[in-house]
Amino acid sequence: MTQVMGILNVTPDSFSDGGKFSQIDKALYQAEKMINNGADIIDVGGESTRPDAKKISLDEETDRVIPVIEKLITEFDVLISIDTSKASLMSHAIAVGVNMINDVRALQEEGALEACQQADVLVCLMHMQGTPETMQNRPEYGDILQDISLFFNKRIIACENAGIKRERLLLDPGFGFGKTLEHNLQLLAHLPYFAHFKQPLLVGLSRKSMLGVLLNAAPVTERLHASVSAAVIAALKGAAIIRVHDVKETVEALKIVQGVQHYE
Ligand code: 7PJ
């Protein structure tokens, strides 16, 4: 059955009233809700990868996410993932017991391979063309499926050479990361192409701008039904894990998928 990964963004309060504690409490409340709604994994992230987002320092990212991860690990019985590209934060998260490293830069930053080698954590290798700042400036591919497969191959080999066994690896084509609407739709349509790697596929489509475009410029708050539809399509096309904001709605939809798949 397709698993649901709930997104937990631990970003600074929009008002500067709340201190660190209220921020942690808010994150924990949000996580508890997602767990009660059926999330199998919680993905904790402190850095935004939106094109216009400011980069944050290692200390800032660490202060945001590590206390939340520590609490989640002691209080709940779900897998915890950290969405980061920074090697020292990976090591820190591994030391406090995180189960998965989710890296939109696929362990290409200095020291990231070594950080993940130390412990038996799962690693999600995501494809991105370019960097968050430049990725949406006319992304281009020869054959998108082949280009992304080549990238996956290179990163799998880099991991294996660094002592990270293949059974620990998940692959993610990186919807919206250096892709046009057409690229994203092509990727979703042909998701089964990546089955030849025999690695679990993780996909993130939740509230992404490709859905907004298809809905004639729907704002991010109006993309729930599109997100759930996209999750269902991804599940039918073989995704092992779907990364979402709206856990309850997605879990319900995936129960219908599961009911039908039982008779396939
Ligand atoms: C993804 C992610 C994704 C994985 C983000 C957003 C942007 N990690 N982190 N896959 N997207 N593995 O949630 O809209 O698609 S941040």
Side-chain angles (χ1 to χ4, degrees):
M1 141 102 175
T2 307
Q3 303 229 302
V4 171
M5 172 187 259
I7 302 170
L8 188 66
N9 284 320
V10 192
T11 43
D13 285 327
S14 20
F15 318 97
S16 44
D17 64 330
K20 219 190 269 174
F21 286 111
S22 77
Q23 207 177 303
I24 292 174
D25 286 344
K26 275 187 220 162
L28 291 172
Y29 174 77
Q30 184 60 27
E32 185 168 10
K33 212 161 75 179
M34 292 197 286
I35 293 163
N36 290 337
N37 286 332
D40 304 286
I41 308 168
I42 300 293
D43 188 37
V44 186
E47 185 211 23
S48 172
T49 40
R50 257 178 272 145
D52 54 348
K54 271 205 322 209
K55 285 202 172 165
I56 63 165
S57 72
L58 170 66
D59 282 351
E60 205 181 335
E61 199 176 334
T62 305
D63 288 349
R64 280 187 201 174
V65 301
I66 293 294
V68 173
I69 290 175
E70 284 182 312
K71 282 246 177 180
L72 289 176
I73 288 172
T74 52
E75 286 182 24
F76 301 105
D77 189 27
V78 282
L79 294 183
I80 308 297
S81 156
I82 181 168
D83 189 342
T84 189
S85 297
K86 295 188 175 79
S88 42
L89 186 53
M90 290 174 186
S91 297
H92 202 144
I94 288 168
V96 301
V98 87
N99 307 99
M100 186 191 297
I101 305 291
N102 173 27
D103 184 7
V104 300
R105 295 174 184 85
L107 306 189
Q108 293 179 99
E109 300 270 290
E110 180 89 40
L113 286 165
E114 293 76 9
C116 292
Q117 195 267 335
Q118 327 154 16
D120 203 18
V121 286
L122 296 168
V123 173
C124 179
L125 301 170
M126 199 197 79
H127 173 269
M128 164 162 52
Q129 185 177 89
T131 66
E133 296 76 37
T134 62
M135 66 188 180
Q136 291 310 110
N137 302 339
R138 299 173 162 271
E140 268 186 62
Y141 295 87
D143 176 319
I144 190 166
L145 298 172
Q146 279 182 24
D147 292 359
I148 293 179
S149 283
L150 235 97
F151 173 83
F152 284 156
N153 250 325
K154 282 193 203 148
R155 296 316 299 155
I156 291 170
I157 290 168
C159 284
E160 287 185 321
N161 288 340
I164 303 169
K165 290 216 175 73
R166 226 184 146 108
E167 0 0 325
R168 287 166 54 192
L169 302 177
L170 296 94
L171 303 175
D172 183 340
F175 289 96
F177 287 85
K179 281 121 193 152
T180 63
L181 172 64
E182 209 183 355
H183 291 142
N184 287 314
L185 292 174
Q186 237 178 319
L187 272 179
L188 184 52
H190 294 282
L191 198 63
Y193 179 88
F194 299 109
H196 73 266
F197 284 102
K198 301 203 183 331
Q199 305 298 133
L201 298 177
L202 193 156
V203 303
L205 291 151
S206 186
R207 302 184 187 171
K208 286 199 172 166
S209 67
M210 59 180 281
L211 306 177
V213 174
L214 289 174
L215 297 177
N216 299 315
V220 70
T221 50
E222 301 297 324
R223 297 178 191 164
L224 171 62
H225 304 96
S227 298
V228 173
S229 308
V232 167
I233 296 170
L236 290 172
K237 288 183 182 282
I241 301 176
I242 321 260
R243 183 180 176 277
V244 304
H245 300 87
D246 303 289
V247 170
K248 184 173 192 286
E249 292 83 351
T250 309
V251 167
E252 284 183 4
L254 292 181
K255 282 188 177 160
I256 312 310
V257 172
Q258 190 188 16
V260 173
Q261 281 179 335
H262 183 75
Y263 291 96
E264 274 178 359

